[in-house]
Amino acid sequence: MTTDDWLTDIRDSYDTVAADYADRMRGVLAGAPYLRAALALFAELVHADGGGPVADVGCGPGHVTAHLHGLGLDAFGIDLSPAMIDVARRDRPDLRFEVGSMTDLDLADGSVAGLLAFWSLIHLPDDAVPAVFDRFRRVLRPGGPLLVGFHVGTGSRLKTQGYGGHPMRVHVHRRRPDRVAAWLRDSGFTLEAHLLTDPDAEVPGALLFARRP
């Protein structure tokens, strides 16, 4: 499968489920204290480094972007799905949302003070992730923090039905934190912290804090 093929599948799938996905995500952070704590720490790191624009890459309907804005960050969202961006703009017209791909970030070198990829890498094949991390490093200013969240485990599955029962075609990848950490180091990041959430669940989550030196 070529890059264009799986990117098209991701975009079309999330265009199809955008409204139902947004309904499901609305208020989800209220019941996720550890995720909120991680986002608060990320915001603190950005503020401590002088503040500035923060990119929420793979923002979906913008619920995390809005949460970061509430923490005092100049946050904006980028997503591959135009329908997701339409929902985000509708729900938060005061914030900036753009259609774009993490595989080809249309941001200037060193232009963001922080970058977040909150469970937005889970559909990328393994061989695409290192290049995406290279792009993250390029757009982050020196000293800028990066927060990556993802499903923990091994293997992948093809998701053919999603939110609201709509058809989808996306591969969902689970990854070991040490493997993701190795990719980050290879891209020039310094690892600073690792949080494992719901460790006894069928699919735990992981949050990695890194920084561009």
Side-chain angles (χ1 to χ4, degrees):
M1 181 179 288
T2 68
T3 300
D4 286 344
D5 288 337
W6 55 257
L7 281 175
T8 297
D9 284 344
I10 294 169
R11 184 191 63 230
D12 291 351
S13 293
Y14 278 94
D15 278 350
T16 300
V17 303
D20 289 287
Y21 182 84
D23 288 342
R24 180 167 176 173
M25 292 297 106
R26 197 167 286 115
V28 69
L29 289 174
Y34 295 103
L35 298 186
R36 295 199 311 274
L39 293 171
L41 176 55
F42 174 73
E44 181 180 335
L45 295 172
V46 174
H47 288 308
D49 198 43
V54 170
D56 178 8
V57 180
C59 66
H63 57 295
V64 175
T65 317
H67 188 82
L68 294 174
H69 178 75
L71 295 172
L73 294 182
D74 179 18
F76 65 97
I78 299 170
D79 200 89
L80 183 65
S81 162
M84 284 288 190
I85 292 299
D86 287 344
V87 171
R89 289 171 174 168
R90 180 200 68 194
D91 289 350
R92 291 303 305 259
D94 55 320
L95 299 182
R96 171 184 159 201
F97 294 99
E98 301 174 354
V99 176
S101 173
M102 64 178 66
T103 62
D104 186 22
L105 280 175
D106 188 20
L107 297 171
D109 293 2
S111 61
V112 297
L115 192 148
L116 177 86
F118 222 52
W119 277 265
S120 56
L121 296 165
I122 62 173
H123 301 309
L124 270 64
D126 284 355
D127 60 5
V129 177
V132 167
F133 284 165
D134 288 346
R135 291 177 176 86
F136 287 177
R137 186 184 187 280
R138 177 185 66 78
V139 304
L140 268 169
R141 72 186 184 194
L146 168 70
L147 175 56
V148 178
F150 53 95
H151 295 317
V152 174
T154 58
S156 306
R157 68 179 180 90
L158 178 63
K159 185 180 181 73
T160 58
Q161 187 179 65
Y163 314 92
H166 300 290
M168 300 182 76
R169 181 179 171 77
V170 291
H171 287 85
V172 181
H173 304 283
R174 303 178 188 179
R175 297 182 170 112
R176 303 300 307 172
D178 57 352
R179 188 175 195 189
V180 178
W183 285 330
L184 287 168
R185 291 189 182 97
D186 288 345
S187 292
F189 285 97
T190 300
L191 272 292
E192 295 193 337
H194 164 210
L195 171 66
L196 183 68
T197 63
D198 297 318
D200 294 329
E202 180 182 355
V203 184
L207 293 153
L208 294 182
F209 286 84
R211 192 182 295 270
R212 176 180 172 179

